[in-house]
Amino acid sequence: MTAEVAAPANREQDDPYLWLEDVTADNALDWVRAHNQPTLAEFCDGDFERMRTEALEVLDTDARIPYVRRRGEYLYNFWRDARNPRGLWRRTTLQRYRTDSPDWDVLIDVDALGRADGEKWVWAGAAVLDPEFTRALVNLSRGGSDAVIVREFDMTTREFIADGFTLAEAKSDIGWADPDTVLVGTDFGPGSLTESGYPRIVKRWRRGTPLDEAEVVFEGTPSDVSVSASVDRTPGFERCFVGRSIDFWNSEVYEVRGSELLRIDTPTDATVSVHREWLLVELRSDWTVGAGSYRAGSLLAAKYDEFLSGARDLRVVFEPDEHTCLHQNAWTRDRLLLVTLADVASRVEIVTPGTWRREVVAGIPPATNTVVVAADDIGDEFFLDSSGFDTPSRLLRGTDAGQLEQIKSAPAFFDAENLDIQQYFVPSQDGTSIPYFVVRSRDAVQPGPTLLGGYGGFESSRTPGYSAVLGRLWLARGGTYAMANIRGGGEYGPGWHTQAMRENRHKVDEDFAAVADDLVARGITTVKQLGAQGGSNGGLLMGIMLTKYPEKFGALVCDVPLLDMKRYHLLLAGASWVAEYGDPDNPDDWKFIAKYSPYQNISATRRYPPVLFTTSTRDDRVHPGHARKMVAALQAAGHSVWLYENIEGGHAGAADNEQAAFKAALSYSFLWRTLGGRA
């Protein structure tokens, strides 16, 4: 490996690599380049190049499904391909969309816009004014960061409005109140952001007036994660809402009526939504109110105005059981869609408000991942995407009547005919049964190279969907893939997550280690052939596997990770995750965090498997200093470690398809090399 670039002489003695947190300092970037070079030299060989080409073919192909969202008479789509690496924002009609080659009307060419502006813009979405559908607030990011600029766009003239609503680069929250007014939270200057770096103040900004004269609508506190606002412009149900996220899991929501704030008095850890006359409450903890007691994971409904007036006539729309949880819900105008998971397999139902009668939507294969990708809340249309480990995506269009029609399908990017898919369960250290999937060719050598994926945090569920890049670069080459549904996720509802938070975080690691052991015990793989990969919170999991369970793995890939848990809350958006992990500044919390924080638990005497860290200079959510400092400390302790830091990419690690293909090929090249196989 390349020798260390010298650190400044005045660095803090308790953290000798603190200087690497200075993201764009010359000496830190010199250090990054010095570590990128040997990684690329080692793993970017002929096998890498073949995999990069195959991955890029998948990401760029015109045969992909162009997913859409309805706004009025048009279906909108954002599309990247080889000719348009930064993408096109475009639209078409349903009639044209049904054809094999729709006639797309391009609204914004992001590549052309970037060339005109001299910027490498990354598309970050658009808020469209409805029901007029003639204006949009377009969000553009430099290099893929969470911070964006905002520009008002005229969808009729296809031009940005010179004197329209614009915002400088910030982590802003902005939306339409009416054609001449927006509600905005942004960086208004000193004191206007929370400790997490998000808006603390919401203002009502009227067209033609300076931003600094906008009227304050709502203020949170510096310790809140963020505040936000939204306007429901449904005729007959016009309402304005504001909310404060107290922490990642607790929030308060209010309706704004003139100068009055009316609290929607539900548990702060519940998710609330309002549609026409209905209030929905999704519980994360048990709730006793009025004459009723309701289980965590339940979905409740009430008449909104009656609830606001004090009535507590709640109806149970969904109640979980030992195997089934609520995964997703979405409204059309007159129906509610529910997606549930039963032992991690999807089921879709249509619910009739008032009676709350549920009907199963027919035509969805078992053991698949099916999600609502779009629902028209002013019409009766919805779109579902359904796929499985061995089944490419199908786009299904439905209406309130419940009839599904397949209107698009993705091609098979690898031969999955001989794949075998099994679901296993293994007891964790405390006896809890942990499910995981194993996907491999029936002809695969056993034991053989195996990649185990996991996340385990923030109630985020891992489901059995189709991944063409994984299929091409790993499964089709004889590798086995395992997906662990460990605690910390939401595969069995909020309790699957809450039992592994804060001081119980160790259960996430124990679950993942139990799956790793079971893969070896079943003869699917060996320790030397077992690799694991995870990103963000899953990158923290990989760091813990490295420092706490190194003897269980042959290699690890650690993407955009949290690793220094003593300082995570001081870096970028880290303060927003204190409710998940605990507060390192609280001595009682630090006692349990210190036991697993990877950066503080590096050993110079234990044998570690090879590890590849990836991050992005432009990641303004999880600080790239986590990966940089971990690499430096591991090298100082004498361990084999590799780093690749992409200059662009944000928290996704890649700003376009070419960068995504490069990053995927690099990871698989590393895994094939270190796990004893060849791609």
Side-chain angles (χ1 to χ4, degrees):
M1 296 295 293
T2 301
E4 299 284 332
V5 176
N10 63 348
R11 66 195 184 201
E12 292 188 18
Q13 294 305 308
D14 61 341
D15 186 350
Y17 305 109
L18 197 67
W19 59 282
L20 288 170
E21 291 181 6
D22 192 344
V23 177
T24 57
D26 288 343
N27 62 324
L29 288 177
D30 287 344
W31 182 94
V32 168
R33 295 184 189 101
H35 284 74
N36 276 357
Q37 190 279 327
T39 302
L40 301 181
E42 179 70 17
F43 298 109
C44 294
D45 55 9
D47 290 335
F48 159 86
E49 184 56 34
R50 283 187 289 275
M51 288 191 288
R52 188 196 68 80
T53 300
E54 289 183 27
L56 191 58
E57 287 174 355
V58 167
L59 298 173
D60 274 348
T61 178
D62 290 341
R64 285 172 293 141
I65 296 175
Y67 293 100
V68 292
R69 167 178 181 179
R70 179 176 290 281
R71 291 183 172 108
E73 63 180 305
Y74 292 106
L75 301 177
Y76 288 75
N77 164 261
F78 183 73
W79 181 263
R80 290 190 180 112
D81 58 24
R83 295 179 298 279
N84 308 281
R86 296 290 164 145
L88 304 171
W89 189 40
R90 58 189 191 171
R91 67 187 183 185
T92 191
T93 63
L94 177 62
Q95 182 179 2
R96 293 172 179 170
Y97 187 63
R98 291 178 186 275
T99 67
D100 292 336
S101 300
D103 181 16
W104 291 99
D105 177 18
V106 176
L107 297 171
I108 295 178
D109 181 331
V110 181
D111 294 273
L113 179 63
R115 288 191 294 271
D117 291 347
E119 292 279 1
K120 292 185 176 181
W121 292 127
V122 175
W123 180 258
V128 177
L129 177 65
D130 56 15
E132 290 83 3
F133 302 103
T134 58
R135 296 286 180 93
L137 298 169
V138 171
N139 297 271
L140 298 167
S141 162
R142 289 185 174 90
S145 63
D146 287 354
V148 298
I149 67 159
V150 179
R151 295 179 183 172
E152 185 178 2
F153 182 74
D154 188 320
M155 297 162 68
T156 303
T157 65
R158 315 299 170 89
E159 294 178 345
F160 288 99
I161 301 171
D163 58 349
F165 293 111
T166 60
L167 292 176
E169 187 174 38
K171 294 181 180 180
S172 301
D173 180 76
I174 186 169
W176 295 102
D178 61 51
D180 293 311
T181 312
V182 295
L183 293 175
V184 57
T186 190
D187 186 350
F188 296 111
S192 66
L193 299 179
T194 67
E195 294 167 3
S196 299
Y198 296 102
R200 187 185 65 80
I201 301 169
V202 171
K203 296 185 179 184
R204 182 179 286 110
W205 184 17
R206 303 186 191 281
R207 187 178 299 280
T209 64
L211 179 59
D212 58 10
E213 294 180 10
E215 168 196 2
V216 174
V217 176
F218 185 72
E219 291 191 52
T221 69
S223 62
D224 290 340
V225 172
S226 65
V227 299
S228 61
S230 63
V231 172
D232 185 346
R233 304 184 68 233
T234 304
F237 299 95
E238 295 88 349
R239 306 181 184 103
C240 175
F241 299 99
V242 295
R244 57 184 289 248
S245 297
I246 303 167
D247 60 33
F248 199 90
W249 297 110
N250 290 273
S251 61
E252 295 175 349
V253 182
Y254 301 83
E255 183 186 340
V256 181
R257 291 187 181 176
S259 60
E260 187 178 8
L261 291 177
L262 301 177
R263 168 85 193 280
I264 302 177
D265 191 16
T266 57
T268 58
D269 65 347
T271 300
V272 300
S273 60
V274 180
H275 175 75
R276 301 180 71 81
E277 69 266 41
W278 299 108
L279 168 71
L280 291 183
V281 183
E282 186 176 349
L283 298 179
R284 296 193 71 253
S285 57
D286 295 345
W287 187 29
T288 298
V289 60
S293 294
Y294 308 98
R295 291 179 55 190
S298 296
L299 182 67
L300 312 176
K303 285 290 185 71
Y304 175 71
D305 288 335
E306 293 176 5
F307 187 90
L308 218 59
S309 298
R312 294 297 180 263
D313 182 16
L314 295 162
R315 293 286 302 274
V316 177
V317 180
F318 171 84
E319 186 175 43
D321 60 34
E322 184 180 355
H323 297 278
T324 308
C325 72
L326 180 63
H327 184 53
Q328 191 182 20
N329 67 82
W331 284 99
T332 63
R333 184 186 188 279
D334 297 316
R335 296 290 187 271
L336 177 67
L337 295 168
L338 296 185
V339 180
T340 59
L341 296 180
D343 285 329
V344 205
S346 301
R347 172 187 173 107
V348 182
E349 297 171 282
I350 293 181
V351 184
T352 302
T355 65
W356 304 109
R357 187 166 67 92
R358 292 157 51 184
E359 297 179 62
V360 175
V361 176
I364 296 173
T368 60
N369 177 48
T370 302
V371 294
V372 180
V373 292
D376 182 8
D377 61 3
I378 60 175
D380 68 350
E381 177 186 65
F382 60 88
F383 292 95
L384 305 176
D385 182 78
S386 185
S387 71
F389 286 123
D390 58 351
T391 308
S393 286
R394 298 185 303 143
L395 184 65
L396 309 171
R397 180 181 179 270
T399 64
D400 285 351
Q403 299 297 317
L404 290 182
E405 131 188 57
Q406 179 175 310
I407 59 173
K408 299 285 180 184
S409 62
F413 289 101
F414 64 99
D415 184 2
E417 185 175 346
N418 203 34
L419 282 186
D420 179 62
I421 302 165
Q422 298 291 333
Q423 186 180 37
Y424 298 106
F425 293 81
V426 59
S428 189
Q429 187 168 312
D430 65 358
T432 301
S433 183
I434 308 301
Y436 69 97
F437 290 93
V438 173
V439 186
R440 56 185 166 170
S441 169
R442 292 181 179 88
D443 300 327
V445 176
Q446 185 174 315
T450 299
L451 175 60
L452 173 61
Y455 186 78
F458 296 94
E459 206 174 324
S460 179
S461 302
R462 301 290 301 276
T463 49
Y466 189 80
S467 172
V469 173
L470 170 73
R472 276 195 160 191
L473 275 56
W474 189 252
L475 296 174
R477 286 172 158 81
T480 294
Y481 176 66
M483 184 179 76
N485 301 114
I486 55 182
R487 283 175 288 183
E491 289 88 343
Y492 290 93
W496 198 243
H497 168 243
T498 56
Q499 63 181 291
M501 294 172 66
R502 291 175 47 82
E503 64 271 17
N504 293 317
R505 169 78 201 187
H506 61 90
K507 295 180 181 180
V508 177
D509 320 325
E510 291 165 0
D511 292 357
F512 197 75
V515 174
D517 284 343
D518 204 49
L519 287 166
V520 174
R522 291 181 184 274
I524 294 170
T525 190
T526 64
V527 168
K528 289 184 178 180
Q529 295 172 300
L530 177 59
Q533 182 174 17
S536 192
N537 171 79
L540 170 60
L541 177 63
M542 295 303 106
I544 296 170
M545 292 300 108
L546 180 72
T547 54
K548 193 174 179 180
Y549 300 99
E551 71 285 349
K552 297 183 184 297
F553 299 94
L556 297 167
V557 177
C558 186
D559 297 320
V560 290
L562 289 94
L563 295 165
D564 181 358
M565 300 304 288
K566 189 176 182 65
R567 286 180 51 78
Y568 83 91
H569 63 312
L570 305 176
L571 302 173
L572 300 175
S576 64
W577 309 320
V578 167
E580 180 84 6
Y581 300 121
D583 182 358
D585 290 338
N586 181 325
D588 291 335
D589 286 7
W590 178 242
K591 285 180 183 177
F592 59 78
I593 297 172
K595 292 179 181 178
Y596 71 78
S597 179
Y599 187 58
Q600 281 76 31
N601 281 281
I602 294 171
S603 169
T605 58
R606 297 186 74 178
R607 180 183 175 278
Y608 289 165
V611 56
L612 170 65
F613 292 90
T614 72
T615 188
S616 166
T617 311
R618 294 291 300 181
D619 190 344
D620 57 352
R621 192 181 312 172
V622 175
H623 199 289
H626 284 280
R628 294 176 179 182
K629 294 197 304 179
M630 190 73 177
V631 167
L634 284 166
Q635 284 186 322
H639 297 292
S640 173
V641 57
W642 306 89
L643 174 73
Y644 175 66
E645 180 172 320
N646 188 17
I647 301 303
E648 288 194 305
H651 192 51
D656 55 32
N657 290 347
E658 187 172 346
Q659 292 178 18
F662 185 97
K663 180 173 172 290
L666 179 65
S667 297
Y668 287 113
S669 178
F670 167 82
L671 288 165
W672 280 116
R673 185 86 60 84
T674 53
L675 298 180
R678 293 293 296 182

